[in-house]
Amino acid sequence: MKDIITLGIESSCDETSVAVVKNGREVLSNVINTQIAIHTQFGGVVPEIASRKHIENISDVTEAALKQAGITFDNVDVIACTYGPGLVGALLVGVSYAKALSYAIDRPLVGTNHIEGHIAANYITNTKLEPPFLCLVISGGHTHLVHIKDYKNYEVLGKTRDDAIGEAFDKVARVIGLGYPGGPKVDSLAKEGVPNIQLPKTRFENLDFSFSGIKTAVINLHHKTPDINKADLCASFEKTITEELLENTLEASKKIGVKKIALAGGVSANSYIRSSFENLKTKGFEIYYPELKLCTDNAAMIASAGYYNFINGNISDLTLNAVPNLKLG
Ligand code: KG4
Ligand code: ZN
C-alpha cells in the first residue's frame, strides 16, 4: 500500500505547530513554536495575543516542517488541522490556513478534534498500540476518561465537573508564586517535599472528576499559613490528585474489562503521575504514555489522529469552521 503523508496543523492555544507524519505513526518533522515566554508575563494565555502570533508564525512553521521532513507540498497527501476545542481566534488561524492550503494544492482536508490528537500521540510513541484501550486524557483544558473502542469510536466514561486538572496545577503554582505554566514547576518542587498535608479528594457515584475543591483548599492553606512548606504542599497536592485519577481509572477498567491504559495530554508529563501508573504494571495492567515532547500540544499528534480520520473516510470540506467547545465522541 502507498504511504500516506499527512501534514498536521495545530493552533488551538499557545503553540503554533506543523508536523509531517507518515502513515499516522512515523514523525518526519514536528515543529513547535511556543508562545509560553510571551504569555508568562501575563500569568496565563491571552487569547488575542495568541491569535496574532499564530498568524505571524504559521507560514514559517509550515516551511520549516516541510524542510525538516525533506519534502515539498507535492508530497503531501492529506492536510489535518485542529478545529476544536480551543480558543476560537487561535483555532481560526489554523483552520483558515489549512483550508486555503487544501484548495491551493488540491489535497483532502481533515478537521481533527484536539483531544483525539492527544490520544493519538500514544500511537506515535507506542507503535504497536491498537484499540481497544482506556485513555486518561489530562491536559490544561480537559480531564476525560475515555474508552477507545476502535480508531473512530470513543465513549467518554467520566470527565471533570469543574476545573481541568492542568488548570488546577497552573492555579496552585500561580498562587504559591511558582509562575506559569505551573505544571512542570509543581512537578519539580514536589520532588523536594513529603506528602504530609491532608487535602480533600472528591468521589462521585459515577466516574466524573472534580478539582476545584482541592485547588481552593491549597489556596486557602497557603493564605492562612504563609510559611507553609511549599514543597510539601506540592507533594501533597500531587499525591491526592493522583489518587483520584487512579481510583476512577481502576474503576473504569473494571467496569469495561480493559486492562490496557494510556495516559495523554500535558499533565501526563507529570513524573509522579507517570510513576504511579507505572506501578500498575505489577498488577497485570499494560500502561502507555506518549514520550514527553508529545504530551503537550504539538501537530504530530494532530497528523496522527487526522490520518485515522482520513482512512476511515472522515473528510471535511471547505465549510469547516472552528468549534471552540467541540466535544469528544
Ligand atoms: O495538553 P496541553 O499542552 O494543553 C491543553 O490541551 O490543555 O497541556 C498543558 C497543561 C498545562 O496546564 C501545564 O501546566 C500542564 O499541562 N503540564 C504539567 C506538566 N507539564 C505540563 N502538569 C503537571 N506536571 C507536568 N510535568
Ligand atoms: Zn492540548
Coordinates of all heavy atoms in Angstrom, one line a residue, residues 95-159:
V95 N -7.3 26.7 11.0 CA -8.4 26.2 10.2 C -8.3 26.9 8.8 O -8.4 26.3 7.7 CB -9.8 26.3 10.8 CG1 -10.9 26.0 9.8 CG2 -9.9 25.3 12.0
S96 N -8.2 28.2 8.9 CA -8.2 29.0 7.6 C -7.0 28.7 6.8 O -7.1 28.6 5.6 CB -8.2 30.6 7.9 OG -9.2 30.8 8.8
Y97 N -5.9 28.6 7.4 CA -4.6 28.2 6.7 C -4.8 26.9 6.0 O -4.4 26.7 4.9 CB -3.4 28.3 7.7 CG -2.1 28.1 7.0 CD1 -1.5 29.3 6.5 CD2 -1.5 26.9 6.9 CE1 -0.2 29.1 5.9 CE2 -0.3 26.8 6.3 CZ 0.4 27.9 5.8 OH 1.6 27.8 5.2
A98 N -5.3 25.9 6.8 CA -5.4 24.5 6.3 C -6.4 24.5 5.1 O -6.2 23.8 4.1 CB -5.9 23.6 7.4
K99 N -7.5 25.3 5.2 CA -8.5 25.3 4.1 C -7.9 25.9 2.9 O -8.0 25.4 1.8 CB -9.7 26.1 4.6 CG -10.7 25.3 5.4 CD -11.7 26.1 6.2 CE -12.5 27.1 5.5 NZ -13.7 27.5 6.3
A100 N -7.1 27.0 3.0 CA -6.5 27.7 1.9 C -5.5 26.7 1.2 O -5.5 26.6 0.0 CB -5.8 29.0 2.3
L101 N -4.8 26.0 2.1 CA -3.8 25.1 1.5 C -4.4 23.9 0.8 O -4.0 23.6 -0.3 CB -2.9 24.6 2.7 CG -1.6 23.9 2.4 CD1 -0.7 24.8 1.6 CD2 -0.9 23.5 3.7
S102 N -5.5 23.4 1.4 CA -6.2 22.3 0.8 C -6.7 22.7 -0.6 O -6.6 21.9 -1.6 CB -7.3 21.9 1.7 OG -8.3 21.2 1.0
Y103 N -7.2 23.9 -0.7 CA -7.7 24.4 -2.0 C -6.6 24.6 -3.0 O -6.6 24.2 -4.1 CB -8.5 25.7 -1.8 CG -9.1 26.3 -3.0 CD1 -10.2 25.8 -3.6 CD2 -8.5 27.4 -3.6 CE1 -10.8 26.3 -4.7 CE2 -9.1 28.0 -4.8 CZ -10.2 27.4 -5.3 OH -10.8 27.9 -6.4
A104 N -5.5 25.3 -2.5 CA -4.4 25.6 -3.4 C -3.6 24.4 -3.9 O -3.3 24.4 -5.1 CB -3.4 26.5 -2.6
I105 N -3.4 23.4 -3.0 CA -2.6 22.2 -3.5 C -3.5 21.0 -3.9 O -3.0 20.0 -4.2 CB -1.5 21.8 -2.6 CG1 -2.0 21.3 -1.2 CG2 -0.5 23.0 -2.3 CD1 -0.9 20.7 -0.3
D106 N -4.8 21.3 -3.7 CA -5.8 20.2 -4.1 C -5.6 18.9 -3.4 O -5.5 17.9 -4.0 CB -5.8 20.0 -5.6 CG -7.0 19.3 -6.1 OD1 -8.0 19.3 -5.4 OD2 -7.0 18.7 -7.2
R107 N -5.6 19.0 -2.0 CA -5.5 17.8 -1.2 C -6.6 17.8 -0.2 O -7.1 18.8 0.2 CB -4.2 17.8 -0.5 CG -2.9 17.7 -1.3 CD -2.8 16.4 -2.0 NE -1.4 16.3 -2.6 CZ -1.1 16.9 -3.8 NH1 -1.9 17.6 -4.5 NH2 0.2 16.7 -4.2
P108 N -7.0 16.5 0.2 CA -8.2 16.5 1.2 C -7.8 17.1 2.5 O -6.7 17.1 3.0 CB -8.4 15.0 1.3 CG -7.2 14.3 0.7 CD -6.6 15.2 -0.2
L109 N -8.9 17.7 3.1 CA -8.8 18.4 4.4 C -9.5 17.5 5.4 O -10.6 17.0 5.2 CB -9.5 19.7 4.2 CG -9.7 20.6 5.5 CD1 -8.3 21.2 5.9 CD2 -10.6 21.7 5.2
V110 N -8.8 17.4 6.6 CA -9.4 16.6 7.7 C -9.5 17.4 8.9 O -8.4 17.7 9.5 CB -8.7 15.3 7.9 CG1 -9.3 14.5 9.0 CG2 -8.6 14.4 6.7
G111 N -10.6 17.9 9.3 CA -10.8 18.6 10.6 C -10.6 17.6 11.7 O -11.2 16.5 11.7
T112 N -9.8 17.9 12.7 CA -9.4 17.0 13.7 C -9.7 17.5 15.1 O -9.4 18.7 15.4 CB -7.9 16.6 13.6 OG1 -7.8 16.1 12.3 CG2 -7.5 15.6 14.6
N113 N -10.2 16.7 16.0 CA -10.5 17.1 17.4 C -9.2 17.1 18.2 O -8.5 16.1 18.1 CB -11.5 16.0 18.0 CG -12.0 16.4 19.4 OD1 -11.1 16.7 20.2 ND2 -13.2 16.3 19.6
H114 N -8.9 18.1 18.9 CA -7.7 18.3 19.6 C -7.5 17.2 20.6 O -6.4 16.7 20.9 CB -7.7 19.7 20.3 CG -6.4 19.9 21.1 ND1 -5.3 20.4 20.5 CD2 -6.2 19.9 22.4 CE1 -4.3 20.5 21.4 NE2 -4.9 20.2 22.6
I115 N -8.6 16.8 21.3 CA -8.5 15.7 22.3 C -8.2 14.4 21.7 O -7.4 13.6 22.2 CB -9.8 15.6 23.2 CG1 -10.2 17.0 23.7 CG2 -9.6 14.6 24.3 CD1 -11.5 17.0 24.4
E116 N -8.7 14.1 20.5 CA -8.4 12.9 19.7 C -6.9 12.9 19.4 O -6.2 11.9 19.4 CB -9.1 12.9 18.4 CG -10.5 12.2 18.4 CD -11.0 12.1 17.0 OE1 -10.4 11.5 16.1 OE2 -12.1 12.6 16.8
G117 N -6.4 14.1 19.1 CA -5.0 14.3 18.9 C -4.1 13.8 20.1 O -3.2 13.1 19.9
H118 N -4.5 14.3 21.3 CA -3.7 13.9 22.5 C -3.7 12.4 22.6 O -2.7 11.8 23.0 CB -4.3 14.6 23.7 CG -3.8 16.0 24.0 ND1 -2.5 16.3 24.1 CD2 -4.5 17.2 24.0 CE1 -2.3 17.6 24.3 NE2 -3.5 18.1 24.3
I119 N -4.9 11.8 22.4 CA -5.0 10.3 22.5 C -4.0 9.7 21.4 O -3.2 8.8 21.7 CB -6.4 9.8 22.3 CG1 -7.3 10.4 23.4 CG2 -6.5 8.3 22.2 CD1 -8.8 10.3 23.1
A120 N -4.1 10.2 20.2 CA -3.3 9.6 19.1 C -1.8 9.8 19.3 O -1.0 9.0 18.7 CB -3.7 10.3 17.8
A121 N -1.3 10.7 20.2 CA 0.1 10.8 20.5 C 0.7 9.5 21.0 O 1.8 9.2 20.7 CB 0.3 11.9 21.5
N122 N -0.2 8.7 21.6 CA 0.2 7.4 22.0 C 0.5 6.4 20.9 O 1.3 5.5 21.0 CB -0.9 6.7 22.9 CG -0.9 7.2 24.3 OD1 0.0 6.8 25.1 ND2 -1.8 8.1 24.7
Y123 N -0.1 6.6 19.7 CA 0.1 5.7 18.6 C 1.5 6.0 18.0 O 2.1 5.1 17.4 CB -0.9 6.0 17.5 CG -2.3 5.7 17.9 CD1 -3.4 6.5 17.5 CD2 -2.6 4.5 18.6 CE1 -4.7 6.2 17.9 CE2 -3.9 4.2 19.0 CZ -5.0 5.1 18.6 OH -6.3 4.8 19.0
I124 N 2.0 7.2 18.2 CA 3.3 7.6 17.7 C 4.4 6.9 18.5 O 5.3 6.3 18.0 CB 3.5 9.1 17.6 CG1 2.5 9.7 16.6 CG2 4.9 9.5 17.2 CD1 2.4 11.2 16.6
T125 N 4.3 7.1 19.9 CA 5.3 6.6 20.8 C 5.3 5.1 20.9 O 6.3 4.4 21.0 CB 5.2 7.2 22.2 OG1 5.3 8.6 22.0 CG2 6.2 6.8 23.1
N126 N 4.0 4.6 20.9 CA 3.8 3.1 21.1 C 3.3 2.5 19.8 O 2.1 2.4 19.6 CB 2.8 2.9 22.3 CG 3.2 3.7 23.5 OD1 4.2 3.4 24.2 ND2 2.4 4.7 23.8
T127 N 4.3 2.2 18.9 CA 3.8 1.9 17.6 C 3.0 0.6 17.5 O 2.3 0.4 16.5 CB 5.1 1.7 16.6 OG1 6.0 0.9 17.3 CG2 5.7 3.1 16.4
K128 N 3.0 -0.2 18.5 CA 2.2 -1.5 18.5 C 0.8 -1.3 19.1 O 0.0 -2.2 19.1 CB 2.9 -2.6 19.2 CG 4.3 -3.0 18.6 CD 4.1 -4.0 17.5 CE 5.4 -4.4 16.8 NZ 6.3 -3.4 16.3
L129 N 0.6 -0.1 19.8 CA -0.6 0.1 20.5 C -1.8 0.2 19.5 O -1.8 0.9 18.6 CB -0.6 1.4 21.3 CG -1.9 1.8 22.1 CD1 -2.2 0.8 23.2 CD2 -1.7 3.2 22.7
E130 N -2.8 -0.7 19.8 CA -4.1 -0.7 19.0 C -5.2 -0.6 19.9 O -5.2 -1.1 21.1 CB -4.2 -2.0 18.2 CG -3.0 -2.4 17.3 CD -3.2 -1.9 15.9 OE1 -4.3 -1.3 15.6 OE2 -2.3 -2.2 15.1
P131 N -6.4 0.0 19.5 CA -7.6 -0.1 20.4 C -8.0 -1.6 20.5 O -7.7 -2.3 19.6 CB -8.6 0.7 19.6 CG -7.8 1.5 18.6 CD -6.6 0.7 18.3
P132 N -8.8 -2.0 21.4 CA -9.4 -1.1 22.4 C -8.5 -0.9 23.6 O -7.7 -1.7 24.0 CB -10.6 -2.0 22.9 CG -10.2 -3.4 22.7 CD -9.3 -3.4 21.5
F133 N -8.6 0.3 24.2 CA -7.9 0.6 25.4 C -8.6 1.8 26.2 O -9.6 2.4 25.6 CB -6.4 1.0 25.2 CG -6.1 2.2 24.3 CD1 -6.0 3.4 24.8 CD2 -6.1 2.0 22.9 CE1 -5.7 4.5 24.0 CE2 -5.8 3.1 22.1 CZ -5.6 4.3 22.6
L134 N -8.2 2.0 27.4 CA -8.8 3.1 28.2 C -7.8 4.2 28.2 O -6.6 4.0 28.3 CB -8.9 2.5 29.6 CG -9.7 3.3 30.6 CD1 -11.1 3.6 30.2 CD2 -9.7 2.6 32.0
C135 N -8.3 5.5 27.9 CA -7.3 6.6 27.9 C -7.7 7.6 28.9 O -8.9 8.1 28.9 CB -7.2 7.2 26.5 SG -5.9 8.3 26.3
L136 N -6.8 8.0 29.7 CA -7.0 9.1 30.7 C -6.4 10.4 30.1 O -5.1 10.5 30.0 CB -6.3 8.8 32.0 CG -6.4 9.8 33.1 CD1 -7.9 10.0 33.6 CD2 -5.6 9.4 34.3
V137 N -7.2 11.3 29.6 CA -6.7 12.5 28.9 C -6.7 13.6 30.0 O -7.7 14.0 30.5 CB -7.6 12.9 27.8 CG1 -7.0 14.1 27.0 CG2 -7.9 11.8 26.8
I138 N -5.5 14.0 30.3 CA -5.3 15.0 31.4 C -4.5 16.2 30.8 O -3.3 16.0 30.6 CB -4.7 14.4 32.7 CG1 -3.6 13.4 32.3 CG2 -5.7 13.7 33.5 CD1 -2.9 12.8 33.6
S139 N -5.1 17.3 30.6 CA -4.4 18.4 30.0 C -4.8 19.7 30.7 O -5.5 19.8 31.7 CB -4.7 18.5 28.5 OG -6.0 19.0 28.3
G140 N -4.4 20.8 30.1 CA -4.7 22.2 30.6 C -6.1 22.5 30.5 O -6.7 23.2 31.3
G141 N -6.8 21.9 29.5 CA -8.2 22.3 29.3 C -9.2 21.1 29.5 O -10.4 21.3 29.5
H142 N -8.6 19.9 29.7 CA -9.5 18.7 29.7 C -9.1 17.7 30.7 O -7.9 17.5 30.9 CB -9.5 18.1 28.3 CG -9.6 19.1 27.2 ND1 -10.8 19.7 26.8 CD2 -8.6 19.6 26.4 CE1 -10.5 20.6 25.9 NE2 -9.2 20.6 25.6
T143 N -10.1 17.0 31.2 CA -9.9 15.8 32.0 C -10.9 14.8 31.7 O -12.1 14.9 32.0 CB -9.9 16.1 33.5 OG1 -9.2 17.3 33.8 CG2 -9.4 15.0 34.4
H144 N -10.6 13.8 30.9 CA -11.5 12.8 30.3 C -11.0 11.4 30.5 O -9.8 11.2 30.3 CB -11.7 13.0 28.8 CG -12.5 14.2 28.4 ND1 -12.1 15.4 28.5 CD2 -13.7 14.2 27.8 CE1 -13.0 16.3 28.0 NE2 -14.0 15.5 27.6
L145 N -11.9 10.5 30.9 CA -11.6 9.1 31.0 C -12.4 8.5 29.8 O -13.6 8.6 29.8 CB -12.1 8.6 32.3 CG -11.6 7.2 32.8 CD1 -10.1 7.1 32.7 CD2 -12.0 7.1 34.3
V146 N -11.7 8.0 28.8 CA -12.3 7.6 27.5 C -12.0 6.1 27.2 O -10.9 5.7 27.3 CB -11.7 8.5 26.4 CG1 -12.6 8.3 25.1 CG2 -11.7 9.9 26.8
H147 N -13.1 5.4 26.8 CA -12.9 4.1 26.3 C -12.7 4.2 24.8 O -13.7 4.6 24.0 CB -14.2 3.3 26.6 CG -14.1 1.8 26.2 ND1 -15.2 1.0 26.2 CD2 -13.1 1.1 25.7 CE1 -14.8 -0.2 25.7 NE2 -13.6 -0.1 25.5
I148 N -11.5 3.9 24.3 CA -11.2 3.9 22.9 C -11.6 2.5 22.3 O -10.8 1.6 22.5 CB -9.7 4.2 22.6 CG1 -9.2 5.3 23.5 CG2 -9.4 4.5 21.1 CD1 -9.8 6.7 23.4
K149 N -12.8 2.4 21.7 CA -13.3 1.1 21.3 C -12.6 0.7 20.0 O -12.2 -0.4 19.8 CB -14.8 1.2 21.1 CG -15.5 1.4 22.5 CD -17.0 1.5 22.3 CE -17.6 1.7 23.6 NZ -19.1 1.9 23.5
D150 N -12.5 1.7 19.0 CA -11.6 1.5 17.9 C -11.2 2.9 17.5 O -11.4 3.8 18.2 CB -12.3 0.7 16.7 CG -13.6 1.4 16.3 OD1 -13.5 2.6 16.0 OD2 -14.6 0.8 16.2
Y151 N -10.5 3.0 16.3 CA -9.9 4.3 16.0 C -10.9 5.4 15.9 O -10.5 6.6 16.0 CB -9.1 4.1 14.7 CG -7.8 3.4 14.8 CD1 -7.6 2.1 14.4 CD2 -6.7 4.0 15.5 CE1 -6.5 1.4 14.6 CE2 -5.5 3.3 15.6 CZ -5.4 2.0 15.2 OH -4.2 1.3 15.4
K152 N -12.1 5.1 15.7 CA -13.1 6.2 15.5 C -14.2 6.2 16.5 O -15.2 7.0 16.4 CB -13.6 6.2 14.0 CG -12.8 6.8 13.0 CD -12.2 8.2 13.3 CE -13.3 9.2 13.7 NZ -12.7 10.3 14.6
N153 N -14.2 5.2 17.4 CA -15.4 5.0 18.2 C -15.0 5.2 19.7 O -14.3 4.3 20.2 CB -15.9 3.6 17.9 CG -17.3 3.4 18.6 OD1 -17.8 4.3 19.2 ND2 -17.8 2.2 18.4
Y154 N -15.3 6.3 20.3 CA -15.0 6.7 21.6 C -16.2 6.8 22.5 O -17.2 7.3 22.1 CB -14.3 8.1 21.7 CG -13.1 8.3 20.8 CD1 -12.9 9.4 20.1 CD2 -12.1 7.3 20.7 CE1 -11.8 9.7 19.3 CE2 -11.0 7.5 19.9 CZ -10.9 8.7 19.2 OH -9.8 8.9 18.4
E155 N -16.0 6.3 23.8 CA -17.1 6.6 24.7 C -16.4 7.3 25.9 O -15.5 6.8 26.6 CB -17.7 5.3 25.2 CG -18.9 5.5 26.1 CD -19.5 4.3 26.7 OE1 -19.0 3.2 26.4 OE2 -20.4 4.4 27.6
V156 N -17.0 8.5 26.3 CA -16.4 9.2 27.4 C -17.1 8.6 28.7 O -18.3 8.6 28.8 CB -16.7 10.7 27.3 CG1 -16.2 11.5 28.6 CG2 -16.0 11.3 26.1
L157 N -16.3 8.0 29.6 CA -16.8 7.4 30.8 C -16.9 8.3 31.9 O -17.7 8.1 32.8 CB -16.0 6.2 31.1 CG -15.7 5.1 30.0 CD1 -14.7 4.1 30.5 CD2 -17.1 4.4 29.7
G158 N -16.1 9.3 32.0 CA -16.1 10.3 33.1 C -15.3 11.5 32.6 O -14.5 11.5 31.8
K159 N -15.7 12.7 33.2 CA -15.0 13.9 32.9 C -15.1 14.9 34.1 O -15.8 14.6 35.0 CB -15.4 14.6 31.6 CG -16.9 14.9 31.6 CD -17.1 15.5 30.2 CE -18.5 16.0 29.9 NZ -19.6 15.2 30.2

